Each structure stands twice: as C-alpha cells, then as structure tokens.
Amino acid sequence: MAQTAANRAEEALERNGGGFVRKEWRQFKKHYELTLIVLPAAIKIFIFSYLPMYGVVVAFKNYRYDLGIFGSEWVGLKNFEFFFVSEYAWRITRNTVLYELGYLALTTVCALALAVMMNEIGRTILKVYQTALFLPYFLSWAVVFYIVFAFLDINNGVLNRLIEQFGGTARHWYMEAEPWPYILNIVALWKRIGFSALVYYAGIMAINQEYYEAAKIDGATRLQMATRITIPMIMPLVAILIILAIGSLFSGDFGLHFFIPNNSGMTYPTTDIIDTYVYRALMGIGDPGMAAAVGLVQSLVGLALVVSANAVVRKINPDNSLW
Amino acid sequence: MRKSFSLAELAIHLIFVATTIAMVVPFLLVVSISLTEERMLNELGYRLIPPKISFDAYRYIFESPVILSRAYGVTIMSTALGTFGSLLLTAMMGYGISRRDYRYNRPVTFFVFFTMMFSGGLVPTYILITQYLHLRDTIWALILPGMLSPFYIMVMKGFLTKVPHEIIESAKIDGAREWTIFVRIVLPLSAPALATLGLFISFNYWNSWFPAMLYIDNEKLVPIQLLLVRMMQTINFLTTHSEFVSRLNVDLAEFPNLSARMAMTVLAAGPMMFVFPFFQRYFVQGLTVGSLKG
C-alpha cells in the first residue's frame, strides 16, 4: 500500500516535469543489478566484436603496421578495385557460395532424415548410434586432415591401394583440382551430420506427444505420423537454422578448405574460398588493406543475405522467421 | 499383443549401423596406422587392422616428451581458463536477457545477436589483437578471441526462459538480490545446459588452432593442435616434392615417420574422445535451440 502511494507520488512528479532523463535514471537504478550481470559479457563483446567493426576502415587505407589504423593513409576504393579486377574475385566467390550451398543442402537433408529415423527406434541403442555420429564433430580440422590423408596419401593411402587392386592407376589427389568438390562435400557431411541430426532430434523431442496419440487413435501409420506431424512440426527450426546458415554463405569453413586439401596450390581452382584467400593475403602476401576489403564485402553480403532470407521466410510464414 | 518386428525398423537399424561404421572407421584407421611399424606401412599400405602391433611410434614420442607435454600444458591451460570464463559469462548474459522483466532485455539481446550477422572480419580483429591489445604470444590470444559465442548465449537464453518466473519472484520477496538469485537458484537449475555448453566450449578450446596459427610464434606457447598443423606442413612439402625427395635418395622409411605423426594425432584427439560420451545424456536436454527465436 505504502509502495503504491510512493509510486503515485513519483508519477505525479514526472507529470510535473520530472523529465525523461530522471525517469530513465530511476529505471536504470531499478535494473542496475541485472545490468551488472550482463555487463562483463557485453564489454567482452564490445571489445572483440564491435571494435573490429570500426577497424573495417582499414579496407579504405593503405595499412601500415608502423602507422596504425589512424596514421595510415586513405586510398579510397583502391583496395576493392585491386581485388575485383584480379582473376581470383570470381573464383573464390563462386567456390565459397557453391560449397556452402552444397554443404547446407546435403547436411540438412541427411540430418533431417536421420533425426526422423532416430525418433522411430529404441532409446538404448540410439545412444550408441548417437555417440558414433557425434565422434567426427569433436575432432579438430587438424586431426581430420590426418584421417583424410590416410585415405588420399599418394603412396600408401587406402583409396589408391583400392584403386590399384581393381586395376586402376593411383592418383595424386593433392595435385589435382577436379576431385575436390566431391571430397570436400563428403568430409563436410561426415563432420557435421552428427551435430545437425542431434539439433533436429532435440526439436522433434520437443513436439507435444498428444499429436501422436491423437493420430494413433485415428489409425495413422508411423510413416504418416513422420510425414504429417514430425516434419511439419520441425520446419520452423529448420527454417531458422537455414536463415542463419545463409548468413554464412559468404564466409565458408576455413579449417575445411585450408587443411583438408593441405593448402596445396594445385587445388586452389576448386578449393580456394574467400576465407582462405583473405588469410593468405594477410599472412602470406602481407596486404592487410586488400584482405580487409575482401573481408568487408564478405561481411556486408552476409548481413544482406540474412536480412533478405529472413524477409522471404517472413513473407511465406511469419512464424518461421528469425525476427 | 506383441509388437511384430517390422521390416522398416530393420532398414532403419541397417542405415544406422552403416552410418556408425562410416563415422568410426576412419578414426580407427588412424589409430591402426599409429600402431603399425613404419616399414610395414610402406610395404602394405594403410590397413584397418595392423598386421603386427607395434608401439614404436608412441615410444618415439614419449622418448622426448618435452614438446608434447608442453603442448598439452598450453592446451589444458587455455581450455580450463577459457571454458570457465566463457561458461560463466555466457550464463550471466544468457540469464540477463532471458528475464522478460529486465528493462534493457531487447537492446542487449540485439547487441549480442547482431554480432552473429555482421563482423569486422579477420583483418581488423588481427590488427586489434596484435597492434592494440598486444596479445601476440600470450596465452590470452588463445583464450579471449573465442570466448563468447552469440549462438551459445542464445542457447543459454532459450534454456533459461523456461525457468518459471515464480521461483525468481518468490526469492525476491524473500529479499534475495539479483546476484544471489543467479548464483543460488539459476545456476543450479541450469546444470544440464551448463554441462552441454561447457562440453562444447571446452571442445572448441581443445581443438582450436586458428588463434594459435595467427598469434603464436613462441615455441613454448604452441598448443597441441598447432603442433599437428606444423607436422602437416612438413608432409605438404614431402607430398608435393616426392620426386625431389626420392631423387635425393632419402630413405623414406626413416624420414617422414608417418606412424609417429598418426600417434600424435591420436594423442591430440584422445583425451576428449574419452570425455564426450559421458556428457551425451545432457545433449538433447541442453540443446533446445527451438527457443532460439525472440
């Protein structure tokens, strides 16, 4: 009772010109404890994610390490020009987008299929399958390189030995460009499917069991339940994950494309993506300005892609959109 | 009525068994190579079942354990510090923005979420860390850049949104302050989410090579994954210059010591391989990304 009276007094004060600032300040005081709880993470994110956003000005400068961001000379759009007239611009853009689309389509379809099937079998044996499925997800790309190398090694690799056994001739996998689209898609699927399948399975678990019971009473078969209940019910989750993935359409998987083809120059026509190119431009060629320009284009296109993907999804079905 | 054994179910099991084999066998191949004598590798190629088991490769590594133990030390240190810090900050941020009654809920959520869609990119981050924060060749370069993932924060938020608000309200009425509520009530309730995210975060740290590749030159700070990367670069040289190497009359059986490299790979992946099955049961519970939205 006393509190409401106090509130009323405050409100009266506000009406009589307490002002926006004072009101905000009072609100802030009321919420400062939660603000303190989110503050450490917010500071960390500010330093490591937002400060670099300002650093994109490097893309418009002839960056020199001794002069720093502020001291380096402005060069306008020269870094962008330099990149876009190079023969690599088209190649790495095409590679990045096509690979990401390939990984996305392949992983989503296979993981969804596995997740739906997981729902159909007993929990005990499922634990075993899940553990196995998850194993590759927990290996680093550096480790995966050695696994793939055991298959592709020119002299002793499993694949070449098999080819020779069937009368073929061994191939020098790391020196050829054309097999890599297949190799990279297989490796990507192998590594990612466990995680995706589990995320979808978690989504399926969250579906209200009453739908299934009602369907059972109506005499639905398990296949019907899977196609009429399970799949439509996890579509929102699929949509959200696809929107997020579309955002990274332009920022491929550095580890996959750097390690698995062993950073071998002969495979660049089919393995080089924007990320690996930027890395080499920064560390190898030593051109931070151009690397930053490529990176900025990458981030901007990524942002545009998420926003438009979300807009499209919202047009089709507002419930599935991200915001 | 007993459920009859259906053909469909058999097919599903067959698919899963095949998938399981495809997932596990490649890794076992590496284990097998690490257990094979170097000489036999060149004669017979890589076999899934070693013709004769030999621990030479492991003996070779453990004979000069300084490099390995130092690399393990760096990896364990950065994993432990990184996971603890990251988990704590993720939980705090996730809790803050999961509270609907928190006035700055929406702007802060956007602040976090926006980093998922736009970033300055590699170059500005590299310049910031090396030129302005001076973290090159420090353990912090391995820990700080990867510390907070907006995705994990959203997962945490999704989990905490399900904590009934009445619990928090009643604690408030009992006079608890926000920090007390967080430590005494929210953290214990979120054990499954913390276990899941903690596992993922620690794996990210254990497996991370990118910061090390960018920021570490000091031999004493090389984590185990970077060690693998460096060995790989040597292989790169050998495979692209194989004619050159054979013309030099280098005894390949002695030189590249492939089984030792594979043993190193097993040692780098091994510890976490033993850990993760124990956390499996939390996965489905902790990973409810369905509530990502909002």
Side-chain angles (χ1 to χ4, degrees):
Chain A
M1 216 45 189
Q3 210 180 3
T4 41
N7 276 350
R8 218 168 288 145
E10 269 181 16
E11 272 165 32
L13 198 80
E14 234 134 65
R15 266 198 303 276
N16 301 331
F20 177 72
V21 177
R22 264 172 73 186
K23 187 180 153 214
E24 275 301 314
W25 176 244
R26 206 162 29 239
Q27 284 290 345
F28 179 77
K29 274 198 297 192
K30 223 165 97 192
H31 291 270
Y32 87 96
E33 285 183 45
L34 279 172
T35 304
L36 280 183
I37 286 180
V38 301
L39 197 62
I43 291 173
K44 196 271 158 189
I45 292 171
F46 178 76
I47 294 175
F48 284 89
S49 301
Y50 282 86
L51 285 186
M53 287 182 199
Y54 174 73
V56 297
V57 296
V58 170
F60 305 97
K61 290 195 167 203
N62 176 19
Y63 187 75
R64 279 177 47 188
Y65 286 100
D66 52 335
L67 298 176
I69 291 182
F70 303 101
S72 294
E73 165 206 7
W74 291 96
V75 293
L77 296 175
K78 240 176 86 187
N79 288 321
F80 293 87
E81 249 171 68
F82 188 62
F83 170 69
F84 280 109
V85 298
S86 82
E87 53 185 311
Y88 302 114
W90 162 243
R91 187 170 89 182
I92 59 175
T93 309
R94 176 203 64 193
N95 282 354
T96 310
V97 172
L98 283 185
Y99 274 117
E100 283 306 306
L101 282 177
Y103 302 152
L104 180 61
L106 201 62
T107 313
T108 305
V109 170
C110 295
L112 258 179
L114 283 186
V116 171
M117 288 193 286
M118 281 177 186
N119 199 28
E120 299 295 322
I121 55 179
R123 295 285 163 85
T124 332
I125 185 79
L126 186 61
K127 285 261 139 63
V128 179
Y129 296 150
Q130 266 180 1
T131 310
L133 269 174
F134 238 125
L135 178 96
Y137 183 79
F138 287 117
L139 300 172
S140 75
W141 282 121
V143 168
V144 176
F145 161 75
Y146 287 92
I147 293 175
V148 176
F149 183 75
F151 283 90
L152 299 184
D153 182 11
I154 169 83
N155 299 314
N156 311 317
V158 170
L159 211 54
N160 276 344
R161 291 275 163 143
L162 275 177
I163 289 175
E164 279 170 353
Q165 230 161 46
F166 288 103
T169 40
R171 293 178 72 168
H172 211 323
W173 302 99
Y174 291 102
M175 310 274 277
E176 291 176 45
E178 76 269 18
W180 284 96
Y182 303 101
I183 299 171
L184 290 177
N185 268 296
I186 293 169
V187 175
L189 178 67
W190 182 75
K191 188 138 166 25
R192 293 171 178 187
I193 191 168
F195 182 78
S196 292
L198 190 82
V199 170
Y200 290 133
Y201 181 64
I204 293 175
M205 289 287 91
I207 295 173
N208 196 336
Q209 285 301 313
E210 281 169 22
Y211 289 106
Y212 291 102
E213 275 148 30
K216 205 182 274 173
I217 292 166
D218 290 344
T221 66
R222 290 174 79 174
L223 186 67
Q224 280 170 329
M225 286 194 241
T227 52
R228 302 277 169 79
I229 301 173
T230 312
I231 291 179
M233 294 290 278
I234 45 170
M235 272 307 146
L237 178 61
V238 177
I240 285 177
L241 293 179
I242 286 179
I243 298 173
L244 287 176
I246 283 176
S248 61
L249 214 56
F250 244 60
S251 55
D253 193 327
F254 178 85
L256 174 61
H257 287 259
F258 185 77
F259 289 135
I260 304 308
N262 204 1
N263 191 24
S264 151
M266 309 281 277
T267 69
Y268 286 165
T270 55
T271 61
D272 205 15
I273 53 170
I274 303 176
D275 277 8
T276 48
Y277 184 83
V278 169
Y279 175 80
R280 285 203 313 277
L282 176 69
M283 306 299 283
I285 314 162
D287 190 343
M290 191 186 60
V294 183
L296 177 59
V297 172
Q298 193 180 25
S299 292
L300 285 175
V301 174
L303 179 64
L305 282 172
V306 185
V307 174
S308 36
N310 192 64
V312 170
V313 171
R314 196 164 46 180
K315 262 259 157 67
I316 301 167
N317 183 355
D319 290 340
N320 292 357
S321 69
L322 200 52
W323 65 82
Chain B
M1 200 178 83
R2 237 180 104 241
K3 210 181 89 190
S4 62
F5 192 76
S6 82
L7 214 61
E9 207 159 309
L10 180 71
I12 290 176
H13 279 288
L14 281 179
I15 290 171
F16 273 111
V17 170
T19 321
T20 302
I21 291 171
M23 293 291 138
V24 179
V25 160
F27 186 69
L28 290 182
L29 180 66
V30 169
V31 177
S32 155
I33 298 170
S34 75
L35 290 172
T36 313
E37 239 174 70
E38 193 72 24
R39 204 162 34 81
M40 287 204 171
L41 285 180
N42 290 312
E43 259 168 48
L44 301 168
Y46 306 149
R47 294 264 179 99
L48 189 56
I49 296 149
K52 202 178 115 224
I53 289 184
S54 139
F55 289 98
D56 283 355
Y58 291 92
R59 211 170 290 137
Y60 175 81
I61 292 172
F62 286 112
E63 251 167 31
S64 48
V66 186
I67 301 173
L68 183 74
S69 58
R70 201 184 269 154
Y72 261 134
V74 173
T75 299
I76 290 169
M77 180 81 160
S78 54
T79 303
L81 284 176
T83 308
F84 177 76
S86 178
L87 206 51
L88 185 66
L89 293 194
T90 303
M92 285 162 72
M93 178 55 101
Y95 172 62
I97 60 178
S98 78
R99 282 274 298 268
R100 297 252 162 85
D101 57 334
Y102 176 44
R103 184 173 166 80
Y104 307 108
N105 169 11
R106 293 180 75 84
V108 175
T109 307
F110 182 76
F111 178 79
V112 175
F113 184 68
F114 185 69
T115 62
M116 242 164 146
M117 299 191 291
F118 185 79
S119 78
L122 173 64
V123 180
T125 310
Y126 179 82
I127 291 171
L128 174 78
I129 286 172
T130 55
Q131 304 279 296
Y132 291 90
L133 301 176
H134 302 291
L135 296 179
R136 178 189 278 279
D137 273 332
T138 66
I139 189 124
W140 302 109
L142 301 176
I143 294 173
L144 289 174
M147 192 172 236
L148 276 178
S149 138
F151 184 73
Y152 292 158
I153 294 176
M154 294 300 162
V155 172
M156 192 74 209
K157 179 199 172 188
F159 184 87
L160 288 172
T161 323
K162 292 199 207 85
V163 172
H165 197 69
E166 291 75 41
I167 299 180
I168 292 157
E169 280 301 318
S170 70
K172 260 192 191 163
I173 289 166
D174 291 343
R177 314 201 59 164
E178 296 292 358
W179 180 251
T180 320
I181 296 173
F182 174 70
V183 175
R184 303 278 292 278
I185 297 169
V186 176
L187 276 188
L189 278 176
S190 42
L194 291 176
T196 309
L197 290 183
L199 184 73
F200 279 111
I201 293 168
S202 62
F203 265 98
N204 288 344
Y205 275 110
W206 186 274
N207 284 338
S208 103
W209 35 262
F210 198 51
M213 237 164 81
L214 287 173
Y215 307 121
I216 300 296
D217 297 317
N218 185 347
E219 285 305 318
K220 288 182 179 153
L221 279 172
V222 170
I224 193 132
Q225 304 292 337
L226 187 61
L227 213 58
L228 285 182
V229 174
R230 293 199 172 166
M231 292 184 341
M232 165 184 129
Q233 280 152 356
T234 326
I235 294 192
N236 188 23
F237 178 81
L238 288 170
T239 49
T240 46
H241 299 82
S242 57
E243 304 91 352
F244 173 70
V245 174
S246 59
R247 211 172 302 147
L248 272 182
N249 235 346
V250 181
D251 190 359
L252 277 169
E254 289 282 326
F255 189 49
N257 213 340
L258 239 154
S259 52
R261 289 163 206 273
M262 292 300 183
M264 201 67 143
T265 310
V266 174
L267 290 173
M272 286 289 163
M273 291 292 98
F274 284 106
V275 177
F276 98 87
F278 295 104
F279 283 78
Q280 276 268 34
R281 61 199 184 97
Y282 292 118
F283 281 0
V284 176
Q285 240 183 319
L287 259 186
T288 327
V289 201
S291 38
L292 184 72
K293 192 174 161 177

